[in-house]
């Protein structure tokens, strides 16, 4: 979901960007107008997240999945020890990709026993001193599970897949060595990946690292070592301008908290619906829920779509329902969902 | 450059795609409408290029630059011999990336002696029997150099970077093991990469190959192993529909030949301008040219831009001018350029 006003602005200038007579998709990525657009997106992101000067902001391609491989390629040598927390499907994919890179991969916590409805308690795991980094997933998109704390690594580089929570609330970037995010949740369209990495960690990539995933090479080229996904960067700039106008990440957090509280409260107070996630680990972005009678799942989805409520199917791997209430969704969207769920329960109880 | 009618259609439905009330950028990439859109793009491409059934068509990210690394990662083991023809800057980048993958890289022909204004003659180089493939660049975007033949490899897999010539004319895909193209020339927007690869060559990638660049993994997932660049695929489908309507690649070739002949003929017959490329190697897509007096270069570019003729600066590495006359440019665009060049020469001779 993208903010309506962002889409409308993109629409209005799709064939004539900045009076150029051309689409932003047609201008040269090395021309002044587009270079200024990319610089604007970077500066807005730096301002919104208060990114320290010793961090690179990179605009890459390949999504979080690309970063699952890029992180070990850039930050380790074969045989190194790396550590991961496994809180769900996205953590598991990152772990699997790391294992392909000739590493000693230690999974310090695995929430399997709770069917991935919990996060490991702070202090419940110990990071070996030789670990090159600890990787975790602050928000698991599919499971709807969120860490309610930032792991204290005692100086070992902390890496976070922020795809489904970036810009949803303030973060202290200096606590992290590297964060990354596919754009398609809170930042813009699919096909753009944002990486924010502390400069001193870059420049030691394995020689076989593809240039498009090499942080130092990309940083040296201002993310334009090859043709960047120009339309995605342009839309990112528009989305970030919208976040600024809305009051920044603090305002986003308030708005997101209110949306999530309304939805969880409704679910918890209605015996027709249930959310499986531990209270302290509930996501403000992704709210999975089940019906008391799963035979009604298909009916629920069909009637929801008729009511204009789309994208409510749970991930194909887990079934059930999932409401993704990213930044671009307003309280009205959540209210409409609750209204529909109320009516549906009344009709089918 | 994109066809005007493609941009206008994208604009008209940017906020409401197929009556969904949502942008194509907002719908789920696993939902039926988008899956159908991606399948349509693939089928149109298969029809237009007459792609045999035993070839995968993949929609990836990372551009040609990503493929420079992906090709050796997918098709070789360390120590293997691979061969390249060097006809300019894009060939050279592909060669450099291959050298990083622990290979015996043999450059069978290097057109350095002509300052990369020629292509090696057919039969002038011998491919060693143990070569895993021969890689070449049918059209060098920066140098404006095109092969006037398809190398005969005697059965050794032939790989072609078709970024700046795909869909500009018919190709016999069965002559190739693999072709690839960044979308931003003739296919659509930056951020989408098309790979067409013979199935039997896939499935033997090095274990460290990132999933996003692993042909077999991507083919098994219909290019949706991770979130694909949805907007790029959607635009590709629109562009391919336009090529169909224009009469297919045969019609494109006629149109492109007429455009190129008009421009080369003008340049050759005007002492104010010159093109450095050997006659048999001249590109129908990229026409570099110089002014007899290079002191006028900046004036030329400034006056051209005032006349609405943009993107005429030569690549920053070579200077001079370059007219890129991709599929989306009509004869009127070339006529306007020639008209401007005539006036400019008259005013400054």
């Amino acid at each position: 979901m993208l903010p309506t006003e962002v889409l409308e602005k993109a629409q209005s200038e799709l064939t004539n960007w900045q009076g150029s007579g051309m689409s932003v998709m047609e201008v040269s990525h090395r021309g002044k107008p587009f270079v200024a657009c990319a610089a604007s997106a970077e500066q807005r992101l730096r301002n919104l997240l208060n990114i320290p000067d010793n961090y690179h902001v990179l605009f890459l391609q390949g999504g979080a999945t690309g970063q699952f491989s890029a992180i070990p390629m850039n930050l380790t040598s074969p045989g190194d020890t790396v550590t991961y927390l496994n809180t769900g499907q996205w953590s598991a994919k990152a772990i699997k990709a790391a294992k392909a890179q000739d590493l000693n991969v230690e999974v310090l916590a695995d929430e399997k026993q709770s069917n991935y409805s919990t996060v490991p308690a702070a202090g419940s795991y110990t990071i070996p001193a030789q670990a090159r980094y600890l990787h975790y997933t602050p928000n698991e998109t599919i499971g709807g599970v969120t860490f309610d704390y930032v792991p204290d690594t005692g100086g070992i580089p902390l890496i976070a897949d922020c795809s489904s929570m970036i810009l949803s609330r303030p973060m202290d970037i200096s606590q992290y060595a590297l964060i990354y995010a596919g754009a398609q949740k809170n930042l813009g369209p699919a096909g753009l990946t944002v990486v924010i990495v502390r400069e001193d960690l870059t420049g030691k990539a394995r020689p076989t690292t593809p240039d498009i995933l090499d942080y130092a090479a990309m940083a040296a080229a201002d993310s334009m070592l090859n043709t960047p996904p120009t339309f995605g960067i342009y839309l990112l700039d528009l989305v970030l301008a919208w976040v600024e106008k809305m009051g920044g990440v603090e305002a986003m957090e308030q708005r997101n908290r209110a949306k999530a509280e309304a939805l969880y409260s409704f679910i918890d107070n209605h015996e027709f619906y249930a959310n499986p996630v531990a209270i302290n680990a509930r996501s403000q972005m992704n709210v999975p829920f089940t019906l008391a009678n799963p035979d009604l799942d298909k009916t629920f989805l069909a009637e929801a779509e008729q009511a204009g409520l789309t994208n409510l199917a749970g991930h194909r791997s887990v079934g059930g329902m999932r409401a993704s209430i990213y930044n671009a969704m307003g309280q009205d969207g959540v209210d409409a969902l609750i209204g529909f769920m109320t009516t549906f329960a009344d009709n089918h109880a």
Side-chain angles (χ1 to χ4, degrees), chain A:
Chain A
M1 190 168 179
L2 288 161
T4 302
E5 64 189 78
V6 165
L7 280 172
E8 288 174 350
K9 180 161 173 62
Q11 183 174 43
S12 72
E13 59 193 22
L14 195 73
T15 59
N16 185 5
W17 183 56
Q18 295 188 347
S20 64
M22 288 186 287
S23 175
V24 66
M25 292 182 275
E26 299 180 296
V27 302
S28 166
H29 64 283
R30 298 201 188 275
K32 275 184 194 168
F34 187 77
V35 168
C37 172
S40 167
E42 176 178 340
Q43 193 57 52
R44 289 189 205 276
L45 195 59
R46 285 188 178 275
N47 294 346
L48 283 165
L49 290 178
N50 199 19
I51 300 171
D53 288 344
N54 63 324
Y55 284 71
H56 293 302
V57 174
L58 305 177
F59 297 145
L60 307 183
Q61 297 182 53
T65 303
Q67 292 308 307
F68 296 163
S69 301
I71 288 162
M73 287 180 142
N74 276 272
L75 305 184
T76 73
S77 300
D80 282 352
T81 294
V82 295
T83 63
Y84 285 76
L85 305 179
N86 187 356
T87 53
Q89 293 197 34
W90 290 104
S91 311
K93 287 183 184 189
I95 291 164
K96 187 174 173 223
K99 285 181 174 169
Q101 298 296 332
D102 302 322
L103 293 163
N104 174 37
V105 179
E106 295 191 17
V107 179
L108 303 183
D110 189 321
E111 300 302 289
K112 197 176 177 181
Q113 82 288 348
S114 74
N115 199 23
Y116 300 101
S117 63
T118 51
V119 294
S124 68
Y125 44 91
T126 305
I127 309 168
Q130 73 274 24
R132 300 302 302 266
Y133 59 74
L134 173 69
H135 177 285
Y136 82 120
T137 312
N139 186 74
E140 284 279 358
T141 317
I142 294 171
V145 169
T146 291
F147 277 76
D148 54 348
Y149 67 96
V150 176
D152 177 1
T153 60
I156 288 170
L158 179 63
I159 298 179
D161 176 356
C162 295
S163 294
S164 52
M165 58 70 71
I166 194 168
L167 286 183
S168 71
R169 54 181 166 82
M171 300 176 72
D172 177 358
I173 299 293
S174 71
Q175 293 180 290
Y176 300 86
L178 186 160
I179 74 167
Y180 61 100
Q184 63 270 18
K185 311 300 185 189
N186 274 339
L187 295 178
L192 170 66
T193 317
V194 173
V195 173
I196 301 169
V197 57
R198 220 173 61 211
E199 291 175 2
D200 63 287
L201 293 166
T202 67
K204 287 159 281 187
R206 300 185 192 190
T208 52
T209 307
D211 280 348
I212 59 163
L213 296 177
D214 183 317
Y215 301 143
M218 275 299 201
D222 286 334
S223 299
M224 294 195 194
L225 186 142
N226 63 329
T227 308
T230 47
F231 190 67
I233 293 170
Y234 155 77
L235 269 181
L236 170 64
D237 187 51
L238 296 185
V239 169
L240 296 176
W242 175 81
V243 175
E244 286 173 355
K245 204 186 81 176
M246 295 290 288
V249 288
E250 294 79 7
M252 282 294 145
E253 180 179 38
Q254 284 184 7
R255 174 175 146 114
N256 288 329
R257 182 181 291 146
K259 283 163 16 191
E261 281 178 358
L263 188 49
Y264 284 117
S265 170
F266 171 80
I267 291 170
D268 288 344
N269 287 301
H270 210 303
E271 60 185 12
F272 199 85
Y273 301 103
N275 168 282
V277 179
I279 301 285
N280 75 305
R282 284 177 165 182
S283 169
Q284 287 189 2
M285 295 281 100
N286 311 101
V287 183
F289 60 93
T290 55
L291 308 190
N293 178 1
D295 292 344
L296 290 171
D297 283 6
K298 281 192 179 169
T299 310
F300 181 91
L301 290 171
E303 293 188 11
E305 188 152 340
Q306 281 176 351
L309 300 162
T310 53
N311 290 342
L312 281 171
H315 191 267
R316 64 209 152 95
S317 62
V318 294
M321 316 299 159
R322 180 181 44 160
S324 285
I325 50 177
Y326 294 117
N327 277 357
M329 177 168 284
Q331 184 69 46
D332 56 336
V334 172
D335 292 345
L337 175 60
I338 291 173
F340 169 77
M341 290 169 75
T342 304
T343 304
F344 186 86
D346 288 349
N347 290 347
H348 295 275

